[in-house]
Amino acid sequence: MPLSARGRQVAGELRGATSGVSAGVLGCEVVRHDELCVGCGRCVSACPTGAMRQDDWFDPAQLFSAPAGTGRGALAAALRRIARHEPSGPFRVPDRIRTFRGILFSADLCAGCGACVRACPTGAVEALPVPVGDVEVAPRGLAPAGAGR
Amino acid sequence: MNVPAVATPEARFPQHRVPEISASGVPVSEVIADSADGERSIVAFLCRECAYSAADAAGNARTSLPPTIRTIMVPCTGRVSPLHLLAALAEGADGVYVGGCLEGQCHYREGNFHALDRVAFVRRLLESVGVEPERAAMFTMSAADTPRFVATARGMDATISRLPRLPRS
Ligand code: SF4
Ligand code: SF4
């Protein structure tokens, strides 16, 4: 995925924003790994654009994909022993349950700043560099070459 | 008397068995095991400040309680996590319930409200995998309300005895 639409807009509004900045610093591609997510919500608090949001619903299927040896993995193991069938889909979460909530990511709101990636304690949000051809890159201290895209 | 300089949590709450249940999957089965083979069991997580006192008083008065009930004392129902409830079911209990303080009377302010929502969460989780949600419940009572403790214990026993044994893999 190239720089997101919102990222492009920000880059366009900030003149020279991309000069002296290499690809992947302003603008990274965000990939979520929901099986590692523990629902702590730090990515949500860190996100300046509202692209990461905490849902009111939880999908038990997410529990079943959690790695063994983690708290969620233990919960899934216990549930699996008594389950009569595969989980039947998301359900609404009671108010005081703060961590068992889905995290919604809207790629079109994302500015690619990477704050969520640094905030996540479990590595559930990954930043991939945007392919170099998609961002204007100029060496620090020099005027933008005007090339790029 | 030989008192350690810094009391460990275990020393302060010797009967508090929750960590054994959660941490390494060490069995609630120990709690459940004293039921005869084939008999149902219900694990009750009881708050030290209220429901456990009520249970204690019931015991002292030699009130007859359903033989299925196994009690675990917790310092506050806010300590009971979804994992405790599910681990108890997975390890052999047919039902679990949490006995806490009356709404607004939690000794740690809001523990019982957290427990209520966790029980509600566990019930939805059970429902989503085809297990009867009635297998998890929460009751609130005051420390002095021994009759309510006895009534809820009998009520839970009646609910669970109407359900089939919980199959586990
Ligand atoms: S990269 Fe920035 S804008 Fe995009 S989701 Fe993460 S914190 Fe939000
Ligand atoms: S910071 Fe990481 S673990 Fe926490 S909610 Fe966000 S993705 Fe999940």
Side-chain angles (χ1 to χ4, degrees):
Chain A
M1 191 177 83
L3 196 60
S4 67
R6 174 76 179 138
R8 262 180 220 292
Q9 191 190 333
V10 171
E13 282 164 4
L14 301 174
R15 284 210 306 133
T18 54
S19 65
V21 182
S22 65
V25 174
L26 169 84
C28 55
E29 179 189 343
V30 167
V31 180
R32 287 191 49 83
H33 303 285
D34 270 326
E35 69 282 5
L36 298 177
C37 177
V38 295
C40 65
R42 291 190 200 179
C43 55
V44 178
S45 321
C47 179
T49 67
M52 288 280 182
R53 282 182 303 121
Q54 207 169 28
D55 202 0
D56 291 340
W57 294 72
F58 180 68
D59 187 351
Q62 197 213 323
L63 270 188
F64 285 90
S65 64
T70 61
R72 288 196 170 208
L75 197 63
L79 194 57
R80 209 177 271 120
R81 285 192 68 187
I82 53 175
R84 302 226 173 96
H85 53 66
E86 288 298 304
S88 61
F91 55 82
R92 186 174 263 285
V93 178
D95 284 354
R96 284 174 192 253
I97 302 290
R98 302 308 306 174
T99 54
F100 292 99
R101 286 164 183 263
I103 305 288
L104 306 174
F105 170 60
S106 329
D108 50 344
L109 289 178
C110 174
C113 66
C116 52
V117 180
R118 286 189 291 275
C120 179
T122 66
V125 206
E126 190 184 357
L128 301 180
V130 174
V132 174
D134 283 335
V135 204
E136 292 173 28
V137 182
R140 186 179 293 279
L142 295 181
R149 282 193 340 145
Chain B
M1 207 168 70
N2 191 8
V3 180
V6 179
T8 61
E10 287 73 12
R12 274 182 280 139
F13 302 127
Q15 314 87 320
H16 170 31
R17 310 171 75 161
V18 170
E20 301 167 35
I21 297 161
S22 71
S24 44
V26 183
V28 189
S29 39
E30 197 186 303
V31 183
I32 299 163
D34 45 21
S35 76
D37 259 356
E39 219 181 88
R40 282 160 217 264
S41 57
I42 298 169
V43 174
F45 293 90
L46 304 179
C47 162
R48 186 175 49 151
E49 311 290 347
C50 49
Y52 196 86
S53 308
D56 218 20
N60 288 340
R62 303 192 172 248
T63 315
S64 83
L65 282 172
T68 48
I69 306 285
R70 307 275 172 277
T71 62
I72 294 178
M73 184 174 82
V74 290
C76 172
T77 53
R79 177 64 182 87
V80 180
S81 82
L83 182 57
H84 295 134
L85 302 174
L86 285 178
L89 291 173
E91 293 287 343
D94 290 285
V96 286
Y97 74 92
V98 179
C101 300
L102 293 171
E103 284 81 351
Q105 294 187 11
C106 172
H107 282 58
Y108 305 97
R109 293 178 61 207
E110 305 200 329
N112 51 354
F113 289 114
H114 286 286
L116 272 166
D117 276 7
R118 288 177 194 151
V119 169
F121 175 74
V122 165
R123 288 171 70 114
R124 285 171 210 187
L125 217 44
L126 291 176
E127 223 173 352
S128 78
V129 295
V131 178
E132 302 83 359
E134 306 90 283
R135 292 188 189 272
M138 166 126 189
F139 304 106
T140 58
M141 64 198 75
S142 76
D145 203 347
T146 304
R148 174 152 168 82
F149 173 77
V150 174
T152 52
R154 287 183 184 155
M156 190 69 189
D157 180 62
T159 307
I160 297 303
S161 63
R162 280 194 296 273
L163 299 175
R165 294 300 308 269
L166 182 59
R168 34 188 82 70
S169 55

